[in-house]
Amino acid sequence: MADTLAHKKFGMVALLLEAVFIVLFGVFGKYHDEADAAVWGNATGQLKKSEINAVNSIVQNYPMFQDVHGMMFIGFGFLMTFLKWYGFSSVGLNMMIAALVIQWSMIINGFFHLKHGKFYIEVQSMLSADFACATVLISFGALLGRISALQCLALAMIEIPIFVANEYVGLNKFRAVDMGGSMFVHIFGAYFGIAASRTMAKKADGDNCNDGSRYHNDLFAMIGTIFLWLYWPSFNAGLAVGDDKHRAVINTYLSLAACTLVAFAVSSLFEKGKLEMVHIQNATLAGGVAVGTVSDMMIKPYGAVIIGSLAGVLSVFGYAFLAKRLRANNFLDTCGVNNLHGMPGILAAVFGILYSGLASFDEYGYGLYQIFPARAPKMANGSFTFTLKDGEQAIADGEGRTAGMQAAYQAAAASMTLLCAIMGGLLTGFVLRLPFLDNVPTADFFLDNPVWNVPEDYDGKQHRPKRREGSRASGDAGAASALIATGDGKQRDEAEEGV
């Protein structure tokens, strides 16, 4: 009986969570007026001006939402398929986590923005839900291959309230600017996951023969890279408006291009003239992270190129050198999220502080108050009205901040985010170690067959020690599964042979 219940535990918990979501959406969820048939249009059947603007907003925002949605399910999912015997879990658990977080984050975020006892759902809230997905999926990347499906549910349920609370304070209390989520999404997700991983890690966990890649796995992972690379401008620009949106697309586009070329170059320099696939799969994306915070700011095209170039160098350096030192100290980071999301996110925060401190009315005009609302003059009635370039009237709840004050708040928000991520991750790691959450035995790390029905050609081996130095996180994946030529020209997987 106990064994039967153990096998059904995950399914029962997942169904219970969905039942709770149904109740919460039923009690508190409501369509935004733009999607509510009862309030759309007027007695004559003609759309009001505000409703015409709403239609235009949906037409404008949905394509970018769809881009970001593809990043969550295809980009992140396939980027994690590099592990040679963990492909089902990489894509499958990614999909499950995203589906859970979409609902849970809408509910938690809604509770922070209740109006008349309800939270309202629209395309923008769907975009915000996908940003929350990215946060948890980044954390999942640090733990990839070492947590069960039930632990994935627990990870998402614990992380999202902390993430939403941190973001709410950063955006609404500190009034920091982070258009592409480099601070509130990337820094938070990376160091939350690494902290949780460090808490869960046992001394021998870093040595596993299955923690490595194969040729075809790396090809599948490149599918994820390409999807993320192509659609990252939509991620950074999705929540922007007007000329800010246009500028965010341009800045991200240029930063990614520069980052990619530099990542190829630096990989070749570090690898003695050869290219390392782990660098290309991950470091080429770091430009999107590093430019995220300032993507809508007036950083100039050359500024975007500089930021992308620095991100490429920093990320490749992380994979090639820093990750080995962290692994030696039992900081296990399967996907190397520190190198793709953590350090480039910190770089983005630094540039956010710099460019916030340099922003001036002479350069931005009234657009300054659209990007930095707290810098608008403080008015007796609490609102400052100004006219944008397209003639639209806008209102900012100004505090009269100086450029230096805004920069200080940017630094405070970044520091708070890093602290919340680490403390929240450490706490979550302790929770995930609880026995009833189906801890994965070390022998089953990085394997699909303990939890999936696998085809006959699946050949995953149980854990053996003496994994060759390096994994995806250490930037030496080639050594982990080095293919060497035999005398008859055939190839064999050195790691699989236990060499």
Side-chain angles (χ1 to χ4, degrees), residues 118-396:
K118 301 286 185 180
F119 58 81
Y120 293 81
I121 301 171
E122 56 176 333
V123 173
Q124 292 295 80
S125 60
M126 291 158 58
L127 258 173
S128 296
D130 275 3
F131 271 55
C133 287
T135 306
V136 180
L137 293 177
I138 291 167
S139 300
F140 174 57
L143 297 157
L144 187 68
R146 295 180 286 116
I147 60 172
S148 65
L150 192 58
Q151 287 174 313
C152 288
L153 297 181
L155 172 70
M157 293 299 291
I158 298 170
E159 183 170 3
I160 284 301
I162 303 172
F163 159 74
V164 172
N166 175 74
E167 185 182 50
Y168 179 83
V169 172
L171 293 178
N172 296 281
K173 302 302 180 182
F174 291 2
R175 304 188 73 178
V177 174
D178 188 27
M179 182 53 66
S182 297
M183 293 192 299
F184 300 130
V185 173
H186 296 283
I187 290 179
F188 187 92
Y191 293 111
F192 190 101
I194 291 170
S197 176
R198 182 65 182 86
T199 307
M200 297 178 66
K202 296 186 275 297
K203 189 173 183 180
D205 288 354
D207 296 318
N208 194 299
C209 65
N210 295 308
D211 183 8
S213 185
R214 279 183 159 185
Y215 190 79
H216 69 274
N217 295 93
D218 277 330
L219 286 175
F220 272 101
M222 274 301 293
I223 294 173
T225 299
I226 297 299
F227 264 87
L228 291 169
W229 201 95
L230 292 175
Y231 296 137
W232 212 294
S234 293
F235 188 93
N236 283 352
L239 295 175
V241 296
D243 61 301
D244 299 353
K245 185 185 287 286
H246 195 174
R247 197 161 49 248
V249 169
I250 294 171
N251 289 335
T252 307
Y253 183 75
L254 291 174
S255 183
L256 284 167
C259 177
T260 299
L261 183 57
V262 170
F264 270 86
V266 177
S267 178
S268 176
L269 292 173
F270 286 169
E271 298 296 326
K272 300 178 181 178
K274 290 193 174 184
L275 297 172
E276 174 56 62
M277 181 53 90
V278 64
H279 302 162
I280 307 311
Q281 286 168 353
N282 295 276
T284 54
L285 301 171
V289 179
V291 81
T293 297
V294 298
S295 59
D296 60 335
M297 298 184 197
M298 293 284 289
I299 64 175
K300 304 296 195 316
Y302 70 84
V305 172
I306 290 172
I307 291 171
S309 300
L310 292 174
V313 174
L314 182 64
S315 185
V316 173
F317 173 80
Y319 278 103
F321 300 106
L322 185 59
K324 294 179 182 179
R325 294 178 179 271
L326 292 174
R327 176 173 285 268
N329 289 285
N330 221 30
F331 283 90
L332 305 184
D333 177 8
T334 309
C335 290
V337 299
N338 179 55
N339 313 309
L340 172 53
H341 302 280
M343 293 192 300
I346 292 173
L347 183 64
V350 171
F351 278 110
I353 296 167
L354 174 64
Y355 280 104
S356 296
L358 294 174
S360 67
F361 187 86
D362 290 340
E363 186 174 26
Y364 285 81
Y366 283 108
L368 179 70
Y369 307 138
Q370 182 171 278
I371 297 176
F372 304 102
R375 289 198 57 187
K378 188 172 184 178
M379 308 299 288
N381 63 359
S383 298
F384 176 74
T385 303
F386 58 97
T387 304
L388 296 172
K389 298 169 188 173
D390 59 4
E392 289 290 323
Q393 293 286 309
I395 298 175

Side-chain angles (χ1 to χ4, degrees), residues 6 66 73 76 84 87 102 181 203-204 208 212 243 253 257 301 378 472:
Q66 197 65 6
F73 287 87
F76 275 102
K84 51 192 169 187
I102 285 171
K203 189 173 183 180
N208 194 299
D243 61 301
Y253 183 75
K378 188 172 184 178
R472 184 55 34 135

